[in-house]
Coordinates of all heavy atoms in Angstrom, one line a residue:
Chain M
Y33 N 3.4 -0.7 10.2 CA 4.2 -0.8 9.0 C 4.4 0.6 8.4 O 3.5 1.4 8.4 CB 3.5 -1.7 8.0 CG 2.9 -3.0 8.5 CD1 1.7 -3.0 9.1 CD2 3.6 -4.2 8.5 CE1 1.1 -4.1 9.6 CE2 3.1 -5.3 9.0 CZ 1.8 -5.3 9.6 OH 1.3 -6.4 10.1
Y35 N 5.2 2.2 4.5 CA 5.3 2.0 3.1 C 5.5 3.3 2.4 O 5.2 4.3 3.0 CB 4.0 1.3 2.5 CG 3.9 -0.2 2.7 CD1 3.5 -0.8 3.9 CD2 4.2 -1.1 1.6 CE1 3.4 -2.1 4.1 CE2 4.1 -2.4 1.8 CZ 3.7 -2.9 3.0 OH 3.6 -4.3 3.1
R37 N 5.2 5.3 -1.6 CA 4.9 5.3 -3.0 C 5.6 6.5 -3.7 O 5.2 7.7 -3.4 CB 3.4 5.3 -3.3 CG 3.1 5.1 -4.8 CD 1.7 5.1 -5.2 NE 1.5 4.6 -6.5 CZ 0.7 5.2 -7.4 NH1 -0.1 6.2 -7.0 NH2 0.6 4.8 -8.7
G40 N 3.8 7.5 -9.4 CA 3.6 6.6 -10.5 C 4.1 5.2 -10.3 O 3.9 4.4 -11.2
K41 N 4.8 4.9 -9.2 CA 5.3 3.6 -9.0 C 4.6 2.8 -8.0 O 3.6 3.2 -7.6 CB 6.8 3.8 -8.6 CG 7.6 4.6 -9.6 CD 9.0 4.0 -9.8 CE 9.7 4.9 -10.8 NZ 10.7 4.1 -11.5
E42 N 5.1 1.6 -7.7 CA 4.4 0.8 -6.8 C 4.6 1.3 -5.4 O 5.4 2.0 -5.0 CB 4.9 -0.7 -6.9 CG 6.3 -0.9 -6.4 CD 7.4 -0.7 -7.4 OE1 7.2 0.2 -8.3 OE2 8.4 -1.4 -7.3
I43 N 3.7 0.8 -4.5 CA 3.8 1.1 -3.1 C 4.9 0.1 -2.5 O 4.7 -1.1 -2.6 CB 2.5 0.9 -2.3 CG1 1.4 1.8 -2.9 CG2 2.6 1.1 -0.8 CD1 0.0 1.6 -2.4
F45 N 7.3 -1.5 0.5 CA 7.5 -1.8 2.0 C 8.8 -1.2 2.4 O 9.8 -1.2 1.8 CB 7.6 -3.3 2.2 CG 8.0 -3.7 3.6 CD1 7.1 -3.8 4.6 CD2 9.4 -4.0 3.8 CE1 7.5 -4.2 5.9 CE2 9.7 -4.5 5.1 CZ 8.8 -4.6 6.1
H48 N 8.7 -2.8 9.4 CA 7.7 -3.4 10.2 C 8.1 -3.4 11.7 O 9.2 -3.9 12.0 CB 7.4 -4.9 9.7 CG 6.5 -5.7 10.6 ND1 6.6 -7.0 10.7 CD2 5.4 -5.4 11.3 CE1 5.7 -7.5 11.6 NE2 4.9 -6.5 11.9
D56 N 11.5 -6.0 10.8 CA 12.0 -6.1 9.5 C 12.2 -4.7 9.0 O 11.2 -4.0 8.8 CB 11.1 -6.9 8.6 CG 11.7 -7.1 7.2 OD1 12.7 -6.4 6.8 OD2 11.2 -8.0 6.4
S58 N 14.1 -4.2 6.2 CA 14.8 -4.5 4.9 C 14.5 -3.5 3.8 O 15.3 -3.4 2.8 CB 14.6 -5.9 4.5 OG 13.2 -6.1 4.3
F91 N 3.1 6.0 3.6 CA 1.9 5.4 4.2 C 2.4 4.6 5.5 O 3.3 3.9 5.5 CB 1.2 4.4 3.3 CG 0.5 5.1 2.1 CD1 1.0 5.0 0.9 CD2 -0.7 5.8 2.3 CE1 0.4 5.6 -0.2 CE2 -1.3 6.4 1.2 CZ -0.8 6.3 -0.1
T98 N -0.8 -10.3 11.4 CA 0.2 -9.9 10.4 C -0.4 -9.7 9.0 O 0.2 -9.5 8.1 CB 1.4 -10.9 10.3 OG1 0.8 -12.2 10.1 CG2 2.2 -10.9 11.6
Y99 N -1.8 -9.8 9.0 CA -2.4 -9.6 7.7 C -3.6 -8.7 8.0 O -4.0 -8.5 9.1 CB -2.8 -10.8 7.0 CG -3.7 -11.8 7.8 CD1 -5.1 -11.6 7.7 CD2 -3.2 -12.7 8.6 CE1 -5.9 -12.4 8.5 CE2 -3.9 -13.5 9.4 CZ -5.3 -13.4 9.4 OH -6.1 -14.2 10.1
Y101 N -4.2 -5.3 7.0 CA -3.7 -3.9 7.4 C -4.8 -3.0 7.3 O -5.7 -3.0 6.5 CB -2.7 -3.3 6.4 CG -1.4 -3.9 6.2 CD1 -0.6 -3.5 5.1 CD2 -0.9 -5.0 6.9 CE1 0.6 -4.0 4.8 CE2 0.3 -5.6 6.6 CZ 1.0 -5.0 5.5 OH 2.2 -5.6 5.2
F103 N -4.6 1.1 6.5 CA -3.6 2.2 6.1 C -4.2 3.5 6.6 O -5.4 3.7 6.7 CB -3.6 2.3 4.6 CG -2.6 1.3 4.0 CD1 -3.1 0.1 3.5 CD2 -1.3 1.6 3.8 CE1 -2.2 -0.9 2.9 CE2 -0.4 0.6 3.2 CZ -0.9 -0.6 2.8
G104 N -3.2 4.4 6.9 CA -3.5 5.8 7.1 C -3.6 6.5 5.7 O -3.4 5.9 4.7
S105 N -3.9 7.8 5.8 CA -4.1 8.6 4.6 C -2.8 9.0 3.9 O -2.8 9.5 2.8 CB -5.0 9.9 5.0 OG -6.2 9.5 5.4
Chain H
Y35 N -6.7 -3.6 -3.4 CA -7.0 -2.3 -2.7 C -7.5 -1.3 -3.6 O -7.1 -1.2 -4.8 CB -5.7 -1.8 -2.0 CG -5.2 -2.6 -0.8 CD1 -4.3 -3.7 -1.0 CD2 -5.5 -2.2 0.5 CE1 -3.9 -4.4 0.1 CE2 -5.0 -2.9 1.6 CZ -4.2 -4.0 1.4 OH -3.8 -4.6 2.5
Q37 N -7.6 3.1 -3.7 CA -7.2 4.3 -3.0 C -8.0 5.4 -3.6 O -8.0 5.7 -4.8 CB -5.7 4.5 -3.2 CG -5.2 5.8 -2.5 CD -3.8 6.1 -2.8 OE1 -3.2 5.5 -3.7 NE2 -3.2 7.1 -2.1
G40 N -6.5 11.4 -1.8 CA -6.2 11.9 -0.5 C -6.4 10.9 0.7 O -6.3 11.3 1.8
E41 N -6.6 9.7 0.3 CA -6.8 8.7 1.3 C -5.8 7.6 1.2 O -5.1 7.5 0.2 CB -8.2 8.1 1.2 CG -9.3 9.1 1.5 CD -9.4 9.7 2.8 OE1 -9.0 9.0 3.8 OE2 -9.7 10.9 3.0
G42 N -5.8 6.7 2.2 CA -4.9 5.6 2.0 C -5.6 4.4 1.4 O -6.8 4.4 1.2
P43 N -4.9 3.4 1.0 CA -5.5 2.2 0.2 C -6.4 1.5 1.2 O -6.1 1.3 2.5 CB -4.3 1.3 -0.1 CG -3.2 2.2 -0.1 CD -3.4 3.2 0.9
Y50 N -6.8 -16.3 -1.1 CA -5.8 -17.2 -0.4 C -5.6 -18.5 -1.0 O -4.6 -19.3 -0.6 CB -6.2 -17.4 1.1 CG -6.4 -16.1 1.8 CD1 -7.6 -15.6 2.2 CD2 -5.3 -15.3 2.2 CE1 -7.7 -14.5 2.9 CE2 -5.4 -14.2 2.9 CZ -6.6 -13.7 3.3 OH -6.8 -12.6 4.0
I86 N -7.6 4.8 -7.6 CA -6.5 3.9 -8.0 C -6.6 2.6 -7.4 O -6.8 2.4 -6.2 CB -5.1 4.6 -7.6 CG1 -5.0 5.9 -8.2 CG2 -4.0 3.6 -8.2 CD1 -3.7 6.7 -7.8
F88 N -5.0 -1.0 -6.6 CA -3.7 -1.7 -6.5 C -3.9 -3.2 -6.2 O -4.7 -3.6 -5.4 CB -2.9 -1.2 -5.3 CG -2.3 0.2 -5.5 CD1 -3.1 1.3 -4.9 CD2 -1.2 0.5 -6.2 CE1 -2.6 2.6 -5.1 CE2 -0.7 1.8 -6.3 CZ -1.5 2.8 -5.8
G96 N 0.7 -16.0 5.6 CA 0.7 -15.3 6.9 C 1.8 -14.2 7.0 O 2.2 -13.9 8.1
T97 N 2.2 -13.7 5.9 CA 3.3 -12.8 5.9 C 2.8 -11.4 6.3 O 1.6 -11.1 6.3 CB 4.0 -12.6 4.6 OG1 5.2 -11.9 4.7 CG2 3.0 -12.0 3.5
Y98 N 3.7 -10.5 6.7 CA 3.4 -9.1 7.0 C 3.8 -8.2 5.9 O 3.4 -7.1 5.8 CB 4.1 -8.7 8.3 CG 5.6 -8.9 8.1 CD1 6.4 -8.0 7.5 CD2 6.2 -10.1 8.6 CE1 7.8 -8.2 7.3 CE2 7.5 -10.4 8.4 CZ 8.3 -9.4 7.7 OH 9.7 -9.6 7.6
K99 N 4.5 -8.7 4.9 CA 5.1 -7.8 3.9 C 4.5 -8.2 2.5 O 4.5 -9.3 2.1 CB 6.6 -8.1 3.8 CG 7.3 -7.1 3.0 CD 8.8 -7.5 2.7 CE 9.6 -8.0 3.7 NZ 11.1 -8.1 3.4
Y100 N 3.9 -7.1 2.0 CA 3.3 -7.3 0.6 C 4.0 -6.6 -0.4 O 4.6 -5.5 -0.2 CB 1.8 -6.9 0.7 CG 0.9 -7.8 1.6 CD1 0.6 -7.3 2.9 CD2 0.6 -9.0 1.2 CE1 -0.1 -8.1 3.7 CE2 -0.1 -9.8 2.1 CZ -0.5 -9.4 3.3 OH -1.2 -10.2 4.1
F102 N 3.4 -4.6 -3.9 CA 2.3 -4.0 -4.6 C 2.5 -3.8 -6.1 O 3.7 -3.6 -6.5 CB 2.1 -2.6 -3.9 CG 1.3 -2.7 -2.7 CD1 1.9 -3.1 -1.5 CD2 -0.1 -2.3 -2.6 CE1 1.2 -3.1 -0.3 CE2 -0.8 -2.4 -1.4 CZ -0.2 -2.8 -0.2
G103 N 1.5 -3.8 -6.8 CA 1.6 -3.4 -8.2 C 1.6 -1.8 -8.3 O 1.6 -1.1 -7.3
T104 N 1.8 -1.3 -9.6 CA 2.0 0.1 -9.8 C 0.6 0.9 -9.8 O 0.6 2.1 -9.8 CB 2.7 0.4 -11.1 OG1 2.1 -0.3 -12.1 CG2 4.2 0.0 -11.0
G105 N -0.4 0.1 -9.8 CA -1.8 0.7 -9.7 C -2.5 0.9 -11.0 O -1.8 1.1 -12.1

Side-chain angles (χ1 to χ4, degrees):
Chain M
Y33 318 83
Y35 279 79
R37 185 178 191 225
K41 305 223 175 202
E42 71 272 28
I43 300 172
F45 170 84
H48 170 213
D56 182 347
S58 61
F91 291 106
T98 54
Y99 56 89
Y101 300 171
F103 278 92
S105 299
Chain H
Y35 285 86
Q37 183 186 7
E41 300 294 329
Y50 300 107
I86 304 176
F88 291 97
T97 190
Y98 54 85
K99 188 189 322 190
Y100 293 103
F102 281 78
T104 52

